[in-house]
Amino acid sequence: MIAKTAAAGGPTLLPEVLAFTSSLALDRALIREDLVGSLAHLTMLSRRGIVPQEQARAIRDGLVSIWDAAQSGDLQLPDEEDVHMAVESLLTAKLGPAAGALHAARSRNDQVALDLRLYVREQCAEIFSALSRLIGALVERAEVESGTILPSYTHRQRAQPISLSYLLAAYGAMFTRDVDSFGFVLSQTDASPLGVGAIAGTSLPIDRQLVRELLAFGRLTANGLDTVGDRDFALDYAYAASRLLVHTSRVATDFVDFSTSEFGFVRLDGAIACGSSMMPQKRNPDLFELVRGKAGAGIGNLVTLLVDMKGLPGGYNRDQQEDRAPILATGPLVRGVLDILQLGLSRVTFDKMRCLAAVEQDATQATDVAEALVQQGLPFRTAYQLAGTLVRACQDARVPLAHVTTEMAQAIDPRLNDEVLQAARVRGAVARKTSPGGTGPDSVREQLEALRESVTRAKERAESIPRLSTLFAQLREAPL
Ligand code: ARG
């Protein structure tokens, strides 16, 4: 039997309607957030004399025992319409009607807005930690892979030679933007909604600032009508998550491709390569394919939330309860993907010879030859044509550009001298890139330094987030 409480419809509501409208199956995951919020609200009600201290103490004991039961996994939530009513019903069973004092100046509308903000904030802490670990691992790997040279790609066609460190630093740069976008999510989430009530505030002498301080929010939400209908922080969260998952999916595709025999750049450790039930020879990159595939669910969550909110009139609307599934699914999805990607990357080995061969077999240094000619005073277009002629001559003679001889080059044009041909040597082509943001060793060193700062920033952000368990521990001891 669901929603026994009169506040949620009472016994007159049809069971089918109760079953259809209940969110308990999902929002039970918000029990800790709900209890922390209730305890902060109660503390304020007591200090403002809205609830007598004695009564507040009893309610606090009740909330604490529910928290402890939830922590030890012994909590049985009664079948109610949502987690808020379930907590109220548990309290009422313990304390009788006195439990009802807690809901003064509060509505489930501001209560759920609070729970979701606390939840998103907590998830951000975990995501910052996972990002700092992943970027840290990329930096460490990049430090030992500077000697691995491989082609870069545009249009998935070989483009210019790069160091593997440069490729790994590119991934790090993407994930650094995720650190920043989750920083934005955090700033959007950092407003305390409690105290706006159902929509228009309250005539009771509450202290919203006190609740804000107790819950460690930076500011109050500005307008109750907006607050109860606002899920922008959740949209920002789902967008940041989707964009992060687009990033992980793109990294994953590199490893799916690199592990094919066509590329042959990486070997998957046996502990992460999946087999085929029929083809005995297979070592499949399922881990990376699933990292790529899971981005779909993340983008789906964002779209679900956007469509849920689109066109809703101001104030709270029950449609908003449908935010629960996408919001709750997002964090575990992102953290799961980040962690497994880090694990996957730690279990791939680059085949240095095959990587280098891919660069040497081709003419990926053609641009470097052209640039060497520019340094000798030729206009770039002339240099481009001359380098192109050299490449075609090499292709006709089936000689890789890296192995072109002085005689061959001189036969085409005397300006293709030995100094210019130095640019055709693969390692030289990488080392010659001195521009900031390029693949040259000095630039990569700077990029890795910047990434180390992102690691620190992500870690600091994670640590700066007030965690639910800490808040609850403070609140259970706070003077009433
Ligand atoms: N279960 C609801 C939700 O999650 C709580 C708010 C309900 N408010 C209401 N007036 N029925 O959105």
Side-chain angles (χ1 to χ4, degrees):
M1 179 66 184
I2 320 175
K4 290 166 291 207
T5 343
T12 57
L13 216 52
L14 286 172
E16 296 90 328
V17 176
L18 295 174
F20 183 74
T21 55
S22 172
S23 55
L24 186 62
L26 287 174
D27 64 20
R28 60 192 316 135
L30 300 174
I31 180 85
R32 291 174 357 122
E33 287 77 359
D34 207 66
L35 291 167
V36 166
S38 287
L39 207 41
H41 184 64
L42 175 75
T43 308
M44 182 277 291
L45 292 177
S46 168
R47 291 199 201 165
R48 298 293 294 156
I50 300 168
V51 173
Q53 244 184 29
E54 262 324 285
Q55 207 174 345
R57 206 161 287 133
I59 295 175
R60 181 164 73 183
D61 290 348
L63 292 170
V64 167
S65 72
I66 299 174
W67 173 278
D68 290 341
Q71 292 299 94
S72 60
D74 300 331
L75 184 67
Q76 287 284 359
L77 283 182
D79 287 341
E80 290 285 350
E81 185 187 291
D82 53 33
V83 68
H84 325 296
M85 297 318 299
V87 170
E88 182 166 327
S89 140
L90 281 176
L91 271 183
T92 309
K94 284 181 208 287
L95 308 175
L102 173 61
H103 212 58
R106 191 174 67 168
S107 155
R108 283 181 292 160
N109 299 352
D110 59 349
Q111 205 175 344
V112 70
L114 173 75
D115 291 3
L116 292 172
R117 282 174 187 267
L118 288 174
Y119 178 81
V120 166
R121 194 167 76 173
E122 187 92 352
Q123 290 299 311
C124 283
E126 299 289 344
I127 293 171
F128 282 129
S129 298
L131 278 169
S132 81
R133 289 192 299 269
L134 176 60
I135 301 171
L138 287 168
V139 171
E140 260 177 48
R141 185 70 181 263
E143 276 162 352
V144 297
E145 296 278 15
S146 60
T148 311
I149 307 295
L150 76 171
S152 60
Y153 291 83
T154 61
H155 315 266
R156 218 27 154 191
Q157 307 281 323
R158 288 173 189 165
Q160 293 188 276
I162 56 171
S163 69
L164 177 53
S165 310
Y166 183 62
L167 176 65
L168 297 171
Y171 300 153
M174 283 203 293
F175 295 126
T176 292
R177 289 195 297 278
D178 294 321
V179 174
D180 294 335
S181 61
F182 276 96
F184 177 73
V185 172
L186 205 55
S187 71
Q188 291 297 300
T189 307
D190 191 28
S192 174
L194 268 195
V196 305
I199 185 163
T202 174
S203 56
L204 294 168
I206 62 165
D207 183 349
R208 288 191 68 198
Q209 288 292 356
L210 173 59
V211 175
R212 176 192 69 72
E213 275 167 38
L214 293 171
L215 295 173
F217 281 109
R219 61 183 190 279
L220 296 179
T221 61
N223 173 298
L225 192 153
D226 172 54
T227 300
V228 294
D230 172 25
R231 294 293 181 266
D232 285 357
F233 63 94
L235 288 171
D236 292 333
Y237 172 61
Y239 172 68
S242 303
R243 209 187 64 177
L244 181 153
L245 291 165
V246 167
H247 294 162
T248 49
S249 77
R250 297 182 63 189
V251 174
T253 287
D254 273 351
F255 287 86
V256 171
D257 289 356
F258 290 173
S259 64
T260 60
S261 18
E262 281 72 13
F263 275 82
F265 291 176
V266 305
R267 193 182 149 73
L268 308 174
D269 184 309
I272 62 157
C274 299
S276 153
S277 61
M278 183 166 170
M279 299 172 282
Q281 85 282 12
K282 293 284 265 177
R283 283 167 82 84
N284 291 328
D286 301 34
L287 183 157
F288 294 106
E289 292 173 280
L290 282 168
V291 164
R292 182 168 67 184
K294 282 183 192 286
I299 294 164
N301 291 334
L302 171 63
V303 174
T304 302
L305 266 181
L306 282 168
V307 179
D308 187 34
M309 295 304 294
K310 177 198 159 296
L312 290 186
Y316 175 82
N317 298 275
R318 193 63 180 270
D319 315 46
Q320 286 166 237
Q321 187 174 288
E322 291 297 304
D323 66 19
R324 235 43 50 85
I327 293 178
L328 293 174
T330 295
L333 182 66
V334 167
R335 290 189 278 122
V337 164
L338 288 174
D339 289 347
I340 204 73
L341 182 61
Q342 187 187 338
L343 179 71
L345 294 178
S346 74
R347 296 292 191 124
V348 299
T349 322
F350 279 81
D351 183 333
K352 292 185 174 25
M353 301 312 293
R354 299 253 340 221
C355 289
L356 190 63
V359 178
E360 284 187 335
Q361 275 157 18
D362 230 307
T364 55
Q365 324 85 297
T367 313
D368 300 280
V369 172
E371 287 183 351
L373 288 166
V374 168
Q375 281 184 339
Q376 305 227 332
L378 262 68
F380 180 74
R381 274 290 159 250
T382 313
Y384 173 95
Q385 274 160 6
L386 202 46
T389 311
L390 178 66
V391 167
R392 275 185 298 281
C394 287
Q395 283 163 347
D396 291 345
R398 297 188 183 283
V399 173
L401 180 58
H403 299 150
V404 65
T405 60
T406 313
E407 295 69 47
M408 276 178 72
Q410 288 289 304
I412 296 167
D413 193 299
R415 288 171 294 186
L416 292 168
N417 56 36
D418 276 347
E419 205 184 319
V420 169
L421 293 191
Q422 277 309 313
R425 313 296 171 228
V426 170
R427 286 188 190 276
V430 171
R432 291 163 79 97
K433 302 288 186 312
T434 49
S435 58
T439 188
D442 288 345
S443 162
V444 169
R445 210 168 300 123
E446 276 166 32
Q447 294 172 43
L448 295 185
E449 199 42 52
L451 290 180
R452 270 183 223 105
E453 283 164 26
S454 316
V455 171
T456 310
R457 194 160 75 247
K459 228 186 256 164
E460 283 171 356
R461 286 210 174 129
E463 282 158 13
S464 77
I465 292 175
R467 305 302 294 254
L468 289 169
S469 48
T470 314
L471 288 175
F472 195 84
Q474 288 165 358
L475 284 164
R476 70 196 287 175
E477 304 298 339
L480 288 170

